[in-house]
Amino acid sequence: MRSTNNRRQEQVMTSQYVTPQGICDQEQAKAIAKKLFDLYDRDRNGIIDGQEVSPMLIDAYRGMSKAFNPTQADVDTFVQVLDVNRDGKITYQDVENYALRILAGIQPLPSYSIQLPPQRQYNRMVEERLEVARRLFKKFDVTQCGYLTRNEVPGLLRETYKQLNIEFEPTPQDVQAWMDMTDTDCDGKVALQDFEQSIIRSLQEQGISLY
């Protein structure tokens, strides 16, 4: 049986890794990401493929004592959440970035060295819309932390409608609806990638060609 002093030492050591933004520190989050990637990259090809995503989702729900049989749409949605550089693959870097964000509260900076395939380059009109969205995001990310919180959303919505020459005062219900639509990983924060994807989905729903 462990002594009281040993248990107290363990508690102190554990508390050193809890940050105000997350439940563990950066190195712990990276270690967890490594274990997850090694566990689910079953064919060891350096990528978590579509057929390897389903076990991840099933195990995640099993950890919450829930049975879950993911559909292809569920798999595709989860891939979009992790695949922040939009190269169509879940790499170790994608998993590590997600772990840093969710577990350590760290918003990894995007890697601008990654070049998207030519067929995934959006057309000029879409890029112009995205550029406006990026400027709005930067304006209302007042803490420059890389994501928007619920308190920053009303200003973003007012400015968005203002650019359409529409006076709009968002209600709490409007803010919640926007968060539900944009916060795809349900962490209470909207990263720039989340915001950009909401713009893309909106354009698609309008029948506007992206490429």
Side-chain angles (χ1 to χ4, degrees), residues 53-55 57-58 61 68-75:
V53 172
S54 289
L57 291 171
I58 292 170
Y61 275 82
F68 181 62
N69 186 25
T71 64
Q72 186 59 48
D74 295 323
V75 171

Side-chain angles (χ1 to χ4, degrees), residues 140-204:
F140 290 99
D141 178 18
V142 294
T143 60
Q144 298 298 299
C145 58
Y147 56 80
L148 300 178
T149 62
R150 183 182 301 274
N151 293 336
E152 294 165 323
V153 171
L156 175 68
L157 292 177
R158 290 190 201 98
E159 186 65 24
T160 300
Y161 277 88
K162 184 178 179 180
Q163 295 204 9
L164 300 173
N165 295 317
I166 300 174
E167 291 294 330
F168 178 69
E169 183 58 37
T171 65
Q173 291 76 19
D174 294 325
V175 173
Q176 183 60 53
W178 190 87
M179 290 291 293
D180 290 342
M181 176 184 67
T182 312
D183 179 19
T184 54
D185 54 8
C186 302
D187 65 348
K189 306 171 186 175
V190 175
L192 177 58
Q193 293 92 342
D194 296 328
F195 188 36
E196 289 181 347
Q197 283 306 299
S198 74
I199 300 297
I200 295 301
R201 287 195 299 271
S202 175
L203 294 175
Q204 288 176 315

Side-chain angles (χ1 to χ4, degrees), residues 2 4-19 23-28:
R2 292 177 299 177
T4 301
N5 286 339
N6 285 341
R7 288 198 298 270
R8 286 177 179 172
Q9 288 176 355
E10 289 176 1
Q11 291 171 355
V12 170
M13 290 176 66
T14 301
S15 68
Q16 291 173 352
Y17 295 106
V18 178
T19 68
I23 61 175
C24 65
D25 73 356
Q26 180 173 342
E27 293 307 312
Q28 281 185 318

Side-chain angles (χ1 to χ4, degrees), residues 24-211:
C24 65
D25 73 356
Q26 180 173 342
E27 293 307 312
Q28 281 185 318
K30 288 183 176 182
I32 291 171
K34 181 68 165 60
K35 289 180 180 179
L36 285 172
F37 190 85
D38 289 344
L39 177 62
Y40 293 106
D41 179 23
R42 296 178 177 178
D43 58 6
R44 298 294 184 265
N45 66 346
I47 298 169
I48 295 181
D49 305 304
Q51 64 270 24
E52 295 168 333
V53 172
S54 289
M56 292 181 70
L57 291 171
I58 292 170
D59 289 347
Y61 275 82
R62 183 181 294 126
M64 296 183 288
S65 300
K66 295 181 179 180
F68 181 62
N69 186 25
T71 64
Q72 186 59 48
D74 295 323
V75 171
D76 293 343
T77 298
F78 191 67
V79 169
Q80 289 178 8
V81 170
L82 267 68
D83 181 25
V84 293
N85 62 16
R86 305 296 178 244
D87 64 355
K89 300 176 290 187
I90 297 178
T91 63
Y92 170 71
Q93 191 62 57
D94 291 325
V95 175
E96 180 179 278
N97 287 348
Y98 187 75
L100 287 171
R101 178 179 172 187
I102 299 302
L103 300 178
I106 298 172
Q107 182 66 38
L109 293 175
S111 176
Y112 294 105
S113 62
I114 298 174
Q115 298 297 320
L116 296 178
Q119 65 269 25
R120 294 185 63 85
Q121 294 290 342
Y122 297 124
N123 62 39
R124 181 175 178 180
M125 185 275 289
V126 174
E127 282 296 340
E128 288 175 351
R129 295 281 188 92
L130 288 174
E131 186 56 37
V132 171
R134 293 173 189 129
R135 288 200 299 269
L136 286 172
F137 186 95
K138 183 176 181 180
K139 177 179 180 179
F140 290 99
D141 178 18
V142 294
T143 60
Q144 298 298 299
C145 58
Y147 56 80
L148 300 178
T149 62
R150 183 182 301 274
N151 293 336
E152 294 165 323
V153 171
L156 175 68
L157 292 177
R158 290 190 201 98
E159 186 65 24
T160 300
Y161 277 88
K162 184 178 179 180
Q163 295 204 9
L164 300 173
N165 295 317
I166 300 174
E167 291 294 330
F168 178 69
E169 183 58 37
T171 65
Q173 291 76 19
D174 294 325
V175 173
Q176 183 60 53
W178 190 87
M179 290 291 293
D180 290 342
M181 176 184 67
T182 312
D183 179 19
T184 54
D185 54 8
C186 302
D187 65 348
K189 306 171 186 175
V190 175
L192 177 58
Q193 293 92 342
D194 296 328
F195 188 36
E196 289 181 347
Q197 283 306 299
S198 74
I199 300 297
I200 295 301
R201 287 195 299 271
S202 175
L203 294 175
Q204 288 176 315
E205 290 169 359
Q206 297 174 51
I208 296 175
S209 175
L210 303 181
Y211 305 104

